[in-house]
Amino acid sequence: MDVGLLQTLNTERAARRAAILVSPLDGRPQRLIKHSDSWQDDPLAEALERRFRSGKSGIVEIADGPDLFLTVQVPPPRLVIIGAVHISKALVPMAQIAGFDVAVIDPRGAFASEARFPADILHADWPEDVLNTAPLDPFTALAAVTHDPKIDDYPLISALKSDCFYVGALGSRKTHGKRAERLQAAGLTTSQINRIDAPIGLDIGAASPEEIAVAVLGQIISALRKPTEIGE
Amino acid sequence: MQEYQARIDGPVTGLDVLSTAEDWASAGRKAAIATVIETWGSAPRPVGSHLVIDADGNFEGSVSGGCVEGAVVTEALDVIESGAPKILEFGVADETAWQVGLSCGGRIRIFVEPLTGAAG
């Protein structure tokens, strides 16, 4: 492997951007495909798309050449929770156990207290301020659970525009109907708005905040591992 | 705020094999990277796992649960010397080519390649 190629790959990984290293197994020169490149016309486009989605490395056989090994580097999944509420208190440790990097954002000091949440994941600021510094990306799930449009709407819009792999919002169907109207007025398309999972969580009859957290995490994992079923 | 940034960027720690490989190259050390490219049965490390090896036999990472690393390091020294990549295969059923096997009964193929060029 060329050191320059390795440096570029590591730069992409450090910036939470996906990339695939294509290695001919007969030792011919490798090439690096960044997710942000226009690889749709690449001879390997189909395999690249599948592997960017699955995140799995593996061998690809081609008709006129040596077998290729695709080293797939996608960022670890992240969960950004808007709202330091009761559901979040249960969702944070569950998501961490399941392997997610977790962040909680809530501008309301009474909720976002370090007595309630670990300091290293808590951001007692407006979502606008936090997300401008650390933007959302396709390998991030966003769950908005404050019930307050002043806090939830901006990150929901940002998540849909950033193509987050999961976007969920707490609230009844009626609440969500009003939310959909606001988001439409903000310029989002119907298909973007339909990506929001609302009412949030798998339909398992969850009653307590802790049970709702299970339902939300289950749905996030489903969106991560079975992405084709989103929005169907 | 700074902490959040660090988390979002994903910590690239000293334990990260590809970062280690880059650090070694930057320090002028000759090295090879071994990658698990195929597995059958119950292989201990998934496809895509890396091991980085330098010319003195130092290594970081793993391509098995420790069963075959020794043999991979030996082969990697050869790859660093010759500059030509190799594909290695290990498994309990494959006694002819290799004396080292996987106790779990799985089989793995490993691509070993030299790290070439200069760090920029």
Side-chain angles (χ1 to χ4, degrees), chain A residues 1-3 7 10 13-14 16 30 57 59 69 73 78 101 103 123 130 133-134, chain B residues 4-5 7-9 16 18 22 36-38 47 85 113-117 120:
Chain A
M1 187 190 303
D2 179 71
V3 174
Q7 286 171 329
N10 282 341
R13 295 167 68 227
R16 280 189 65 84
Q30 291 151 317
S57 300
I59 290 179
F69 183 74
Q73 295 283 350
R78 185 161 57 109
D101 274 347
H123 308 280
V130 180
T133 313
Chain B
Y4 186 68
Q5 184 70 48
R7 288 190 72 83
I8 296 242
D9 283 349
D16 181 276
L18 293 181
E22 186 182 331
V36 178
I37 57 170
E38 220 169 349
V47 169
E113 56 182 319
L115 205 48
T116 55

PDB file of all heavy atoms in Angstrom, chain A residues 1-3 7 10 13-14 16 30 57 59 69 73 78 101 103 123 130 133-134, chain B residues 4-5 7-9 16 18 22 36-38 47 85 113-117 120:
ATOM      1  N   MET A   1       0.854  -1.193   0.000  1.00  0.00           N
ATOM      2  CA  MET A   1       0.000   0.000   0.000  1.00  0.00           C
ATOM      3  C   MET A   1       0.884   1.236   0.000  1.00  0.00           C
ATOM      4  O   MET A   1       1.858   1.319   0.742  1.00  0.00           O
ATOM      5  CB  MET A   1      -0.894   0.001   1.255  1.00  0.00           C
ATOM      6  CG  MET A   1      -1.937   1.115   1.236  1.00  0.00           C
ATOM      7  SD  MET A   1      -2.812   1.324   2.810  1.00  0.00           S
ATOM      8  CE  MET A   1      -3.504  -0.300   3.078  1.00  0.00           C
ATOM      9  N   ASP A   2       0.516   2.187  -0.825  1.00  0.00           N
ATOM     10  CA  ASP A   2       1.257   3.436  -0.880  1.00  0.00           C
ATOM     11  C   ASP A   2       0.976   4.263   0.385  1.00  0.00           C
ATOM     12  O   ASP A   2      -0.168   4.385   0.801  1.00  0.00           O
ATOM     13  CB  ASP A   2       0.838   4.207  -2.131  1.00  0.00           C
ATOM     14  CG  ASP A   2       1.569   5.532  -2.233  1.00  0.00           C
ATOM     15  OD1 ASP A   2       2.771   5.496  -2.511  1.00  0.00           O
ATOM     16  OD2 ASP A   2       0.934   6.578  -2.000  1.00  0.00           O
ATOM     17  N   VAL A   3       2.012   4.803   0.966  1.00  0.00           N
ATOM     18  CA  VAL A   3       1.853   5.553   2.218  1.00  0.00           C
ATOM     19  C   VAL A   3       0.916   6.753   2.028  1.00  0.00           C
ATOM     20  O   VAL A   3       0.099   7.067   2.891  1.00  0.00           O
ATOM     21  CB  VAL A   3       3.224   6.019   2.759  1.00  0.00           C
ATOM     22  CG1 VAL A   3       3.041   6.920   3.971  1.00  0.00           C
ATOM     23  CG2 VAL A   3       4.080   4.827   3.136  1.00  0.00           C
ATOM     24  N   GLN A   7      -2.394   7.613   4.115  1.00  0.00           N
ATOM     25  CA  GLN A   7      -2.634   8.888   4.796  1.00  0.00           C
ATOM     26  C   GLN A   7      -3.997   9.461   4.416  1.00  0.00           C
ATOM     27  O   GLN A   7      -4.733   9.949   5.272  1.00  0.00           O
ATOM     28  CB  GLN A   7      -1.516   9.883   4.468  1.00  0.00           C
ATOM     29  CG  GLN A   7      -0.213   9.542   5.187  1.00  0.00           C
ATOM     30  CD  GLN A   7       0.963  10.381   4.718  1.00  0.00           C
ATOM     31  OE1 GLN A   7       1.018  10.796   3.560  1.00  0.00           O
ATOM     32  NE2 GLN A   7       1.911  10.617   5.603  1.00  0.00           N
ATOM     33  N   ASN A  10      -6.692   7.483   6.169  1.00  0.00           N
ATOM     34  CA  ASN A  10      -6.788   7.830   7.592  1.00  0.00           C
ATOM     35  C   ASN A  10      -7.419   9.207   7.797  1.00  0.00           C
ATOM     36  O   ASN A  10      -8.137   9.425   8.768  1.00  0.00           O
ATOM     37  CB  ASN A  10      -5.407   7.761   8.256  1.00  0.00           C
ATOM     38  CG  ASN A  10      -4.994   6.322   8.561  1.00  0.00           C
ATOM     39  OD1 ASN A  10      -5.848   5.425   8.614  1.00  0.00           O
ATOM     40  ND2 ASN A  10      -3.711   6.091   8.734  1.00  0.00           N
ATOM     41  N   ARG A  13     -11.115   8.720   7.484  1.00  0.00           N
ATOM     42  CA  ARG A  13     -11.648   8.025   8.669  1.00  0.00           C
ATOM     43  C   ARG A  13     -11.753   8.985   9.848  1.00  0.00           C
ATOM     44  O   ARG A  13     -12.755   8.997  10.565  1.00  0.00           O
ATOM     45  CB  ARG A  13     -10.751   6.848   9.045  1.00  0.00           C
ATOM     46  CG  ARG A  13     -10.730   5.754   7.985  1.00  0.00           C
ATOM     47  CD  ARG A  13      -9.603   4.770   8.242  1.00  0.00           C
ATOM     48  NE  ARG A  13      -9.836   3.992   9.437  1.00  0.00           N
ATOM     49  CZ  ARG A  13      -8.925   3.784  10.378  1.00  0.00           C
ATOM     50  NH1 ARG A  13      -7.724   4.306  10.294  1.00  0.00           N
ATOM     51  NH2 ARG A  13      -9.216   3.058  11.432  1.00  0.00           N
ATOM     52  N   ALA A  14     -10.714   9.803  10.028  1.00  0.00           N
ATOM     53  CA  ALA A  14     -10.700  10.724  11.168  1.00  0.00           C
ATOM     54  C   ALA A  14     -11.811  11.769  11.055  1.00  0.00           C
ATOM     55  O   ALA A  14     -12.303  12.266  12.054  1.00  0.00           O
ATOM     56  CB  ALA A  14      -9.345  11.408  11.265  1.00  0.00           C
ATOM     57  N   ARG A  16     -14.770  11.187   9.912  1.00  0.00           N
ATOM     58  CA  ARG A  16     -16.052  10.483   9.831  1.00  0.00           C
ATOM     59  C   ARG A  16     -16.604  10.483   8.413  1.00  0.00           C
ATOM     60  O   ARG A  16     -17.795  10.694   8.191  1.00  0.00           O
ATOM     61  CB  ARG A  16     -17.090  11.098  10.797  1.00  0.00           C
ATOM     62  CG  ARG A  16     -16.943  10.644  12.243  1.00  0.00           C
ATOM     63  CD  ARG A  16     -18.105  11.107  13.089  1.00  0.00           C
ATOM     64  NE  ARG A  16     -19.367  10.502  12.690  1.00  0.00           N
ATOM     65  CZ  ARG A  16     -19.786   9.306  13.092  1.00  0.00           C
ATOM     66  NH1 ARG A  16     -19.066   8.597  13.904  1.00  0.00           N
ATOM     67  NH2 ARG A  16     -20.952   8.829  12.676  1.00  0.00           N
ATOM     68  N   GLN A  30      -3.210  -0.001  -5.875  1.00  0.00           N
ATOM     69  CA  GLN A  30      -4.537   0.136  -5.284  1.00  0.00           C
ATOM     70  C   GLN A  30      -5.113   1.495  -5.620  1.00  0.00           C
ATOM     71  O   GLN A  30      -4.393   2.396  -6.041  1.00  0.00           O
ATOM     72  CB  GLN A  30      -4.404   0.013  -3.756  1.00  0.00           C
ATOM     73  CG  GLN A  30      -4.045  -1.387  -3.317  1.00  0.00           C
ATOM     74  CD  GLN A  30      -3.254  -1.393  -2.038  1.00  0.00           C
ATOM     75  OE1 GLN A  30      -2.344  -0.584  -1.844  1.00  0.00           O
ATOM     76  NE2 GLN A  30      -3.574  -2.319  -1.160  1.00  0.00           N
ATOM     77  N   SER A  57     -16.174  -5.338   4.489  1.00  0.00           N
ATOM     78  CA  SER A  57     -15.080  -5.560   3.554  1.00  0.00           C
ATOM     79  C   SER A  57     -15.231  -6.938   2.922  1.00  0.00           C
ATOM     80  O   SER A  57     -15.849  -7.826   3.494  1.00  0.00           O
ATOM     81  CB  SER A  57     -13.735  -5.496   4.290  1.00  0.00           C
ATOM     82  OG  SER A  57     -13.573  -4.240   4.892  1.00  0.00           O
ATOM     83  N   ILE A  59     -14.094  -9.697  -0.859  1.00  0.00           N
ATOM     84  CA  ILE A  59     -13.531  -9.897  -2.195  1.00  0.00           C
ATOM     85  C   ILE A  59     -14.609  -9.694  -3.260  1.00  0.00           C
ATOM     86  O   ILE A  59     -15.749 -10.111  -3.096  1.00  0.00           O
ATOM     87  CB  ILE A  59     -12.931 -11.315  -2.303  1.00  0.00           C
ATOM     88  CG1 ILE A  59     -11.669 -11.396  -1.443  1.00  0.00           C
ATOM     89  CG2 ILE A  59     -12.619 -11.672  -3.760  1.00  0.00           C
ATOM     90  CD1 ILE A  59     -10.999 -12.749  -1.437  1.00  0.00           C
ATOM     91  N   PHE A  69      -9.837  -6.940  -3.498  1.00  0.00           N
ATOM     92  CA  PHE A  69     -10.299  -6.897  -2.116  1.00  0.00           C
ATOM     93  C   PHE A  69     -10.713  -5.475  -1.794  1.00  0.00           C
ATOM     94  O   PHE A  69      -9.948  -4.531  -2.005  1.00  0.00           O
ATOM     95  CB  PHE A  69      -9.227  -7.369  -1.133  1.00  0.00           C
ATOM     96  CG  PHE A  69      -9.728  -7.395   0.279  1.00  0.00           C
ATOM     97  CD1 PHE A  69     -10.602  -8.397   0.691  1.00  0.00           C
ATOM     98  CD2 PHE A  69      -9.385  -6.411   1.188  1.00  0.00           C
ATOM     99  CE1 PHE A  69     -11.114  -8.417   1.984  1.00  0.00           C
ATOM    100  CE2 PHE A  69      -9.886  -6.414   2.485  1.00  0.00           C
ATOM    101  CZ  PHE A  69     -10.750  -7.425   2.878  1.00  0.00           C
ATOM    102  N   GLN A  73     -14.228   1.257   4.925  1.00  0.00           N
ATOM    103  CA  GLN A  73     -14.111   2.011   6.179  1.00  0.00           C
ATOM    104  C   GLN A  73     -15.305   2.937   6.293  1.00  0.00           C
ATOM    105  O   GLN A  73     -15.423   3.893   5.542  1.00  0.00           O
ATOM    106  CB  GLN A  73     -12.814   2.828   6.181  1.00  0.00           C
ATOM    107  CG  GLN A  73     -11.555   1.989   6.168  1.00  0.00           C
ATOM    108  CD  GLN A  73     -11.249   1.384   7.527  1.00  0.00           C
ATOM    109  OE1 GLN A  73     -11.859   1.729   8.531  1.00  0.00           O
ATOM    110  NE2 GLN A  73     -10.304   0.467   7.564  1.00  0.00           N
ATOM    111  N   ARG A  78     -23.394   6.630  15.339  1.00  0.00           N
ATOM    112  CA  ARG A  78     -23.492   7.630  16.400  1.00  0.00           C
ATOM    113  C   ARG A  78     -24.967   7.924  16.609  1.00  0.00           C
ATOM    114  O   ARG A  78     -25.756   7.865  15.662  1.00  0.00           O
ATOM    115  CB  ARG A  78     -22.754   8.875  15.923  1.00  0.00           C
ATOM    116  CG  ARG A  78     -22.620   9.985  16.896  1.00  0.00           C
ATOM    117  CD  ARG A  78     -21.481  10.912  16.434  1.00  0.00           C
ATOM    118  NE  ARG A  78     -21.717  11.410  15.090  1.00  0.00           N
ATOM    119  CZ  ARG A  78     -22.047  12.677  14.819  1.00  0.00           C
ATOM    120  NH1 ARG A  78     -22.197  13.532  15.791  1.00  0.00           N
ATOM    121  NH2 ARG A  78     -22.229  13.062  13.577  1.00  0.00           N
ATOM    122  N   ASP A 101     -21.714   5.709  19.630  1.00  0.00           N
ATOM    123  CA  ASP A 101     -21.224   6.939  20.234  1.00  0.00           C
ATOM    124  C   ASP A 101     -22.459   7.781  20.492  1.00  0.00           C
ATOM    125  O   ASP A 101     -23.250   7.981  19.581  1.00  0.00           O
ATOM    126  CB  ASP A 101     -20.313   7.699  19.258  1.00  0.00           C
ATOM    127  CG  ASP A 101     -18.888   7.212  19.330  1.00  0.00           C
ATOM    128  OD1 ASP A 101     -18.560   6.493  20.285  1.00  0.00           O
ATOM    129  OD2 ASP A 101     -18.116   7.542  18.424  1.00  0.00           O
ATOM    130  N   ALA A 103     -24.480  11.340  21.995  1.00  0.00           N
ATOM    131  CA  ALA A 103     -24.441  12.730  22.448  1.00  0.00           C
ATOM    132  C   ALA A 103     -25.862  13.152  22.804  1.00  0.00           C
ATOM    133  O   ALA A 103     -26.817  12.748  22.140  1.00  0.00           O
ATOM    134  CB  ALA A 103     -23.882  13.635  21.354  1.00  0.00           C
ATOM    135  N   HIS A 123     -24.466  18.224  26.196  1.00  0.00           N
ATOM    136  CA  HIS A 123     -24.237  19.555  25.631  1.00  0.00           C
ATOM    137  C   HIS A 123     -25.407  20.447  25.995  1.00  0.00           C
ATOM    138  O   HIS A 123     -26.479  20.326  25.409  1.00  0.00           O
ATOM    139  CB  HIS A 123     -24.056  19.469  24.127  1.00  0.00           C
ATOM    140  CG  HIS A 123     -23.009  18.471  23.777  1.00  0.00           C
ATOM    141  ND1 HIS A 123     -21.676  18.763  23.840  1.00  0.00           N
ATOM    142  CD2 HIS A 123     -23.109  17.162  23.468  1.00  0.00           C
ATOM    143  CE1 HIS A 123     -20.997  17.677  23.562  1.00  0.00           C
ATOM    144  NE2 HIS A 123     -21.836  16.690  23.335  1.00  0.00           N
ATOM    145  N   VAL A 130     -24.516  23.527  18.632  1.00  0.00           N
ATOM    146  CA  VAL A 130     -23.710  22.308  18.695  1.00  0.00           C
ATOM    147  C   VAL A 130     -23.521  21.727  17.288  1.00  0.00           C
ATOM    148  O   VAL A 130     -22.404  21.348  16.901  1.00  0.00           O
ATOM    149  CB  VAL A 130     -24.384  21.260  19.609  1.00  0.00           C
ATOM    150  CG1 VAL A 130     -23.535  20.000  19.677  1.00  0.00           C
ATOM    151  CG2 VAL A 130     -24.601  21.830  21.004  1.00  0.00           C
ATOM    152  N   THR A 133     -21.014  23.293  14.828  1.00  0.00           N
ATOM    153  CA  THR A 133     -19.614  22.937  15.079  1.00  0.00           C
ATOM    154  C   THR A 133     -19.333  21.496  14.685  1.00  0.00           C
ATOM    155  O   THR A 133     -18.281  21.177  14.152  1.00  0.00           O
ATOM    156  CB  THR A 133     -19.296  23.086  16.582  1.00  0.00           C
ATOM    157  OG1 THR A 133     -19.816  24.335  17.017  1.00  0.00           O
ATOM    158  CG2 THR A 133     -17.813  23.030  16.830  1.00  0.00           C
ATOM    159  N   ALA A 134     -20.293  20.606  14.971  1.00  0.00           N
ATOM    160  CA  ALA A 134     -20.116  19.178  14.713  1.00  0.00           C
ATOM    161  C   ALA A 134     -21.322  18.675  13.922  1.00  0.00           C
ATOM    162  O   ALA A 134     -22.297  18.217  14.502  1.00  0.00           O
ATOM    163  CB  ALA A 134     -19.988  18.439  16.035  1.00  0.00           C
TER     164      ALA A 134
ATOM    165  N   TYR B   4     -17.051  17.384  22.424  1.00  0.00           N
ATOM    166  CA  TYR B   4     -18.030  16.891  21.460  1.00  0.00           C
ATOM    167  C   TYR B   4     -17.392  16.726  20.092  1.00  0.00           C
ATOM    168  O   TYR B   4     -17.544  15.721  19.423  1.00  0.00           O
ATOM    169  CB  TYR B   4     -19.191  17.882  21.384  1.00  0.00           C
ATOM    170  CG  TYR B   4     -20.334  17.405  20.535  1.00  0.00           C
ATOM    171  CD1 TYR B   4     -21.114  16.324  20.933  1.00  0.00           C
ATOM    172  CD2 TYR B   4     -20.615  18.039  19.335  1.00  0.00           C
ATOM    173  CE1 TYR B   4     -22.153  15.902  20.168  1.00  0.00           C
ATOM    174  CE2 TYR B   4     -21.659  17.613  18.563  1.00  0.00           C
ATOM    175  CZ  TYR B   4     -22.433  16.543  18.981  1.00  0.00           C
ATOM    176  OH  TYR B   4     -23.462  16.109  18.211  1.00  0.00           O
ATOM    177  N   GLN B   5     -16.621  17.761  19.719  1.00  0.00           N
ATOM    178  CA  GLN B   5     -15.923  17.711  18.436  1.00  0.00           C
ATOM    179  C   GLN B   5     -15.048  16.452  18.357  1.00  0.00           C
ATOM    180  O   GLN B   5     -15.055  15.742  17.358  1.00  0.00           O
ATOM    181  CB  GLN B   5     -15.064  18.967  18.285  1.00  0.00           C
ATOM    182  CG  GLN B   5     -14.357  19.071  16.936  1.00  0.00           C
ATOM    183  CD  GLN B   5     -15.331  19.340  15.819  1.00  0.00           C
ATOM    184  OE1 GLN B   5     -16.170  20.207  15.923  1.00  0.00           O
ATOM    185  NE2 GLN B   5     -15.255  18.574  14.753  1.00  0.00           N
ATOM    186  N   ARG B   7     -15.366  13.647  19.867  1.00  0.00           N
ATOM    187  CA  ARG B   7     -16.150  12.413  19.733  1.00  0.00           C
ATOM    188  C   ARG B   7     -16.670  12.261  18.318  1.00  0.00           C
ATOM    189  O   ARG B   7     -16.646  11.191  17.753  1.00  0.00           O
ATOM    190  CB  ARG B   7     -17.337  12.435  20.700  1.00  0.00           C
ATOM    191  CG  ARG B   7     -16.939  12.268  22.133  1.00  0.00           C
ATOM    192  CD  ARG B   7     -18.179  12.046  22.969  1.00  0.00           C
ATOM    193  NE  ARG B   7     -18.747  10.741  22.755  1.00  0.00           N
ATOM    194  CZ  ARG B   7     -18.321   9.651  23.370  1.00  0.00           C
ATOM    195  NH1 ARG B   7     -17.318   9.708  24.205  1.00  0.00           N
ATOM    196  NH2 ARG B   7     -18.898   8.491  23.138  1.00  0.00           N
ATOM    197  N   ILE B   8     -17.164  13.349  17.767  1.00  0.00           N
ATOM    198  CA  ILE B   8     -17.731  13.290  16.420  1.00  0.00           C
ATOM    199  C   ILE B   8     -16.657  12.893  15.425  1.00  0.00           C
ATOM    200  O   ILE B   8     -16.890  12.120  14.514  1.00  0.00           O
ATOM    201  CB  ILE B   8     -18.313  14.672  16.035  1.00  0.00           C
ATOM    202  CG1 ILE B   8     -19.466  14.982  16.964  1.00  0.00           C
ATOM    203  CG2 ILE B   8     -18.710  14.705  14.581  1.00  0.00           C
ATOM    204  CD1 ILE B   8     -20.786  15.153  16.343  1.00  0.00           C
ATOM    205  N   ASP B   9     -15.478  13.430  15.610  1.00  0.00           N
ATOM    206  CA  ASP B   9     -14.389  13.105  14.695  1.00  0.00           C
ATOM    207  C   ASP B   9     -13.939  11.654  14.839  1.00  0.00           C
ATOM    208  O   ASP B   9     -13.255  11.134  13.974  1.00  0.00           O
ATOM    209  CB  ASP B   9     -13.201  14.031  14.938  1.00  0.00           C
ATOM    210  CG  ASP B   9     -13.445  15.399  14.331  1.00  0.00           C
ATOM    211  OD1 ASP B   9     -14.405  15.541  13.566  1.00  0.00           O
ATOM    212  OD2 ASP B   9     -12.679  16.298  14.632  1.00  0.00           O
ATOM    213  N   ASP B  16      -5.338   2.074  16.939  1.00  0.00           N
ATOM    214  CA  ASP B  16      -5.873   1.929  15.595  1.00  0.00           C
ATOM    215  C   ASP B  16      -4.752   1.477  14.653  1.00  0.00           C
ATOM    216  O   ASP B  16      -3.750   2.155  14.492  1.00  0.00           O
ATOM    217  CB  ASP B  16      -6.447   3.271  15.146  1.00  0.00           C
ATOM    218  CG  ASP B  16      -7.031   3.191  13.767  1.00  0.00           C
ATOM    219  OD1 ASP B  16      -6.270   3.323  12.786  1.00  0.00           O
ATOM    220  OD2 ASP B  16      -8.239   2.967  13.670  1.00  0.00           O
ATOM    221  N   LEU B  18      -4.345   1.088  11.324  1.00  0.00           N
ATOM    222  CA  LEU B  18      -3.955   1.863  10.139  1.00  0.00           C
ATOM    223  C   LEU B  18      -3.271   3.179  10.524  1.00  0.00           C
ATOM    224  O   LEU B  18      -2.404   3.661   9.802  1.00  0.00           O
ATOM    225  CB  LEU B  18      -5.171   2.123   9.241  1.00  0.00           C
ATOM    226  CG  LEU B  18      -5.769   0.869   8.580  1.00  0.00           C
ATOM    227  CD1 LEU B  18      -6.952   1.228   7.707  1.00  0.00           C
ATOM    228  CD2 LEU B  18      -4.715   0.100   7.774  1.00  0.00           C
ATOM    229  N   GLU B  22       0.599   4.327   9.639  1.00  0.00           N
ATOM    230  CA  GLU B  22       0.989   5.644   9.129  1.00  0.00           C
ATOM    231  C   GLU B  22       2.089   6.258  10.000  1.00  0.00           C
ATOM    232  O   GLU B  22       3.060   6.825   9.474  1.00  0.00           O
ATOM    233  CB  GLU B  22      -0.246   6.559   9.090  1.00  0.00           C
ATOM    234  CG  GLU B  22       0.040   7.900   8.443  1.00  0.00           C
ATOM    235  CD  GLU B  22      -1.168   8.838   8.435  1.00  0.00           C
ATOM    236  OE1 GLU B  22      -2.316   8.346   8.395  1.00  0.00           O
ATOM    237  OE2 GLU B  22      -0.940  10.044   8.475  1.00  0.00           O
ATOM    238  N   VAL B  36      -7.056  -9.638   6.723  1.00  0.00           N
ATOM    239  CA  VAL B  36      -7.873 -10.845   6.533  1.00  0.00           C
ATOM    240  C   VAL B  36      -8.795 -10.589   5.339  1.00  0.00           C
ATOM    241  O   VAL B  36      -9.593  -9.650   5.361  1.00  0.00           O
ATOM    242  CB  VAL B  36      -8.730 -11.148   7.785  1.00  0.00           C
ATOM    243  CG1 VAL B  36      -9.617 -12.371   7.544  1.00  0.00           C
ATOM    244  CG2 VAL B  36      -7.857 -11.356   9.003  1.00  0.00           C
ATOM    245  N   ILE B  37      -8.660 -11.386   4.257  1.00  0.00           N
ATOM    246  CA  ILE B  37      -9.482 -11.131   3.067  1.00  0.00           C
ATOM    247  C   ILE B  37     -10.602 -12.141   2.894  1.00  0.00           C
ATOM    248  O   ILE B  37     -11.555 -11.907   2.162  1.00  0.00           O
ATOM    249  CB  ILE B  37      -8.626 -11.068   1.776  1.00  0.00           C
ATOM    250  CG1 ILE B  37      -7.825 -12.343   1.590  1.00  0.00           C
ATOM    251  CG2 ILE B  37      -7.724  -9.843   1.794  1.00  0.00           C
ATOM    252  CD1 ILE B  37      -7.168 -12.424   0.211  1.00  0.00           C
ATOM    253  N   GLU B  38     -10.486 -13.294   3.551  1.00  0.00           N
ATOM    254  CA  GLU B  38     -11.547 -14.293   3.411  1.00  0.00           C
ATOM    255  C   GLU B  38     -11.529 -15.204   4.627  1.00  0.00           C
ATOM    256  O   GLU B  38     -10.455 -15.495   5.157  1.00  0.00           O
ATOM    257  CB  GLU B  38     -11.310 -15.123   2.146  1.00  0.00           C
ATOM    258  CG  GLU B  38     -12.572 -15.441   1.382  1.00  0.00           C
ATOM    259  CD  GLU B  38     -12.296 -16.035  -0.006  1.00  0.00           C
ATOM    260  OE1 GLU B  38     -11.148 -16.027  -0.484  1.00  0.00           O
ATOM    261  OE2 GLU B  38     -13.259 -16.517  -0.612  1.00  0.00           O
ATOM    262  N   VAL B  47     -13.310 -10.467   8.351  1.00  0.00           N
ATOM    263  CA  VAL B  47     -12.704  -9.962   7.125  1.00  0.00           C
ATOM    264  C   VAL B  47     -12.458  -8.461   7.281  1.00  0.00           C
ATOM    265  O   VAL B  47     -13.313  -7.745   7.797  1.00  0.00           O
ATOM    266  CB  VAL B  47     -13.648 -10.245   5.930  1.00  0.00           C
ATOM    267  CG1 VAL B  47     -13.176  -9.506   4.676  1.00  0.00           C
ATOM    268  CG2 VAL B  47     -13.731 -11.741   5.665  1.00  0.00           C
ATOM    269  N   PRO B  85       3.852  -8.453  -2.662  1.00  0.00           N
ATOM    270  CA  PRO B  85       2.791  -8.932  -1.757  1.00  0.00           C
ATOM    271  C   PRO B  85       2.611 -10.451  -1.832  1.00  0.00           C
ATOM    272  O   PRO B  85       3.073 -11.088  -2.778  1.00  0.00           O
ATOM    273  CB  PRO B  85       1.537  -8.218  -2.282  1.00  0.00           C
ATOM    274  CG  PRO B  85       1.834  -7.889  -3.695  1.00  0.00           C
ATOM    275  CD  PRO B  85       3.317  -7.701  -3.804  1.00  0.00           C
ATOM    276  N   GLU B 113       0.988  -7.068   2.330  1.00  0.00           N
ATOM    277  CA  GLU B 113       1.527  -6.138   1.333  1.00  0.00           C
ATOM    278  C   GLU B 113       2.521  -5.191   1.986  1.00  0.00           C
ATOM    279  O   GLU B 113       2.372  -4.824   3.157  1.00  0.00           O
ATOM    280  CB  GLU B 113       0.381  -5.325   0.708  1.00  0.00           C
ATOM    281  CG  GLU B 113      -0.420  -4.588   1.756  1.00  0.00           C
ATOM    282  CD  GLU B 113      -1.596  -3.793   1.197  1.00  0.00           C
ATOM    283  OE1 GLU B 113      -1.428  -3.159   0.148  1.00  0.00           O
ATOM    284  OE2 GLU B 113      -2.663  -3.808   1.849  1.00  0.00           O
ATOM    285  N   PRO B 114       3.540  -4.794   1.226  1.00  0.00           N
ATOM    286  CA  PRO B 114       4.494  -3.834   1.793  1.00  0.00           C
ATOM    287  C   PRO B 114       3.893  -2.437   1.783  1.00  0.00           C
ATOM    288  O   PRO B 114       3.041  -2.121   0.956  1.00  0.00           O
ATOM    289  CB  PRO B 114       5.669  -3.906   0.810  1.00  0.00           C
ATOM    290  CG  PRO B 114       5.049  -4.304  -0.494  1.00  0.00           C
ATOM    291  CD  PRO B 114       3.866  -5.175  -0.156  1.00  0.00           C
ATOM    292  N   LEU B 115       4.340  -1.622   2.719  1.00  0.00           N
ATOM    293  CA  LEU B 115       3.981  -0.202   2.731  1.00  0.00           C
ATOM    294  C   LEU B 115       5.052   0.509   1.914  1.00  0.00           C
ATOM    295  O   LEU B 115       6.231   0.439   2.242  1.00  0.00           O
ATOM    296  CB  LEU B 115       3.959   0.285   4.179  1.00  0.00           C
ATOM    297  CG  LEU B 115       3.105   1.476   4.544  1.00  0.00           C
ATOM    298  CD1 LEU B 115       1.696   1.362   4.001  1.00  0.00           C
ATOM    299  CD2 LEU B 115       3.056   1.615   6.054  1.00  0.00           C
ATOM    300  N   THR B 116       4.630   1.141   0.820  1.00  0.00           N
ATOM    301  CA  THR B 116       5.614   1.690  -0.112  1.00  0.00           C
ATOM    302  C   THR B 116       5.512   3.208  -0.193  1.00  0.00           C
ATOM    303  O   THR B 116       4.512   3.786   0.224  1.00  0.00           O
ATOM    304  CB  THR B 116       5.382   1.114  -1.526  1.00  0.00           C
ATOM    305  OG1 THR B 116       4.025   1.386  -1.900  1.00  0.00           O
ATOM    306  CG2 THR B 116       5.637  -0.375  -1.557  1.00  0.00           C
ATOM    307  N   GLY B 117       6.549   3.832  -0.758  1.00  0.00           N
ATOM    308  CA  GLY B 117       6.543   5.277  -0.932  1.00  0.00           C
ATOM    309  C   GLY B 117       6.947   5.974   0.351  1.00  0.00           C
ATOM    310  O   GLY B 117       7.148   5.336   1.386  1.00  0.00           O
ATOM    311  N   GLY B 120       4.198  11.793   3.181  1.00  0.00           N
ATOM    312  CA  GLY B 120       4.209  13.177   2.706  1.00  0.00           C
ATOM    313  C   GLY B 120       3.677  14.127   3.742  1.00  0.00           C
ATOM    314  O   GLY B 120       3.144  13.735   4.744  1.00  0.00           O
TER     315      GLY B 120
END
